Amino acid sequence: MNSPLRREYLDALGLKTWTLRTAPAPAPAPAAARAAAAAPAPATVAPAREVSAAREAGADWDELRARVAACTRCSLSATRTQTVFGVGNPHADWLIVGEAPGAEEDRRGEPFVGRAGQLLNSMLHAIGLAREQVYIANVLKCRPPGNRDPSLTEAAECLPYLERQIALLKPKIMLAVGRIAAQNLLRTEKTLGALRQQVHRFGVSQLPLVVTYHPAYLLRTPTEKRKAWEDLKFARDVISRV
């Protein structure tokens, strides 16, 4: 990537560039240590959910949206303002998945709005994508009261909707943003840090899945933006090989 374009991408994420000073070359590591460092951490393959995915089999986009809007599978149906189905290009190569709607999303019926949504737009712009080119959804279609973490039961009841969206969309890659989304999609308790920079697999189609930080977390912890930039570049490289 040429330098002006790289600076434009980093500016979109609010990252400053700097020039590294020349440092003395480190002493070579022992062969055993080099081999251990080079060995990649094992990626996570989420177990296929044929039974739950079959629950929404056959539904097209309109039918699936109607089923989500009328859903009463868990107690969140009693506290939501409205469901948040998803938004974007129904033929997108990129699927962006968060954990659940927040207060503003619950009010407007669209995922990733407000300041977090603006930062997500900048993150997408940093890898040459407009919001309209991707599809954006959440693990949950309803807001948990007080923005608490989704329960395992809530996530299990809602995942068939996302799985049907994936079947209709046929994306080339899924970008899971945030620890809660990643843990629910991959059925793991590993930390987000342990899941980053790896190609995981999701569902029956073994869709490539890459994990990064949630925009809301990056707003609270801007020092982690550079790691998110590395994740975005990693995901861009993955999709270039799909």
Side-chain angles (χ1 to χ4, degrees), residues 10-97:
L10 293 177
D11 287 345
L13 282 176
L15 294 174
K16 294 182 179 180
T17 59
W18 66 84
T19 302
L20 291 175
R21 296 176 180 175
T22 303
R34 291 198 303 270
T44 305
V45 178
R49 301 178 177 86
E50 291 89 346
V51 174
S52 64
R55 185 186 289 180
E56 306 305 329
D60 61 15
W61 282 108
D62 290 338
E63 174 62 21
L64 187 64
R65 185 182 294 273
R67 291 183 188 183
V68 168
C71 182
T72 57
R73 289 178 184 168
C74 75
S75 61
L76 295 182
S77 62
T79 58
R80 72 189 181 214
T81 301
Q82 60 184 314
T83 56
V84 181
F85 181 75
V87 67
N89 182 348
H91 306 289
D93 290 336
W94 288 75
L95 172 61
I96 317 298
V97 179

Side-chain angles (χ1 to χ4, degrees), residues 106-182:
D106 179 60
R107 184 180 70 82
R108 293 173 53 177
E110 181 177 340
F112 285 94
V113 295
R115 292 182 64 216
Q118 291 169 8
L119 181 54
L120 177 63
N121 294 346
S122 294
M123 292 168 68
L124 294 173
H125 175 72
I127 50 174
L129 294 170
R131 183 182 176 98
E132 296 75 21
Q133 292 177 273
V134 306
Y135 197 88
I136 306 173
N138 284 304
V139 173
L140 292 194
K141 307 304 185 190
C142 299
R143 178 200 179 201
N147 290 346
R148 63 164 172 76
D149 291 348
S151 71
L152 293 177
T153 299
E154 291 162 353
E157 291 292 349
C158 221
L159 269 173
Y161 294 131
L162 178 63
E163 289 166 334
R164 184 57 187 164
Q165 286 177 304
I166 292 171
L168 292 168
L169 189 63
K170 297 180 174 62
K172 292 182 178 178
I173 193 170
M174 184 193 308
L175 183 67
V177 293
R179 174 182 61 86
I180 301 300

Side-chain angles (χ1 to χ4, degrees), residues 87 189 213:
V87 67
E189 295 183 357
Y213 295 95

Side-chain angles (χ1 to χ4, degrees), residues 24 59 107 143 145 175 201 210 234 236 239-240:
R107 184 180 70 82
R143 178 200 179 201
L175 183 67
R201 299 286 172 173
V210 172
F234 179 75
R236 184 180 59 191
I239 198 172
S240 73

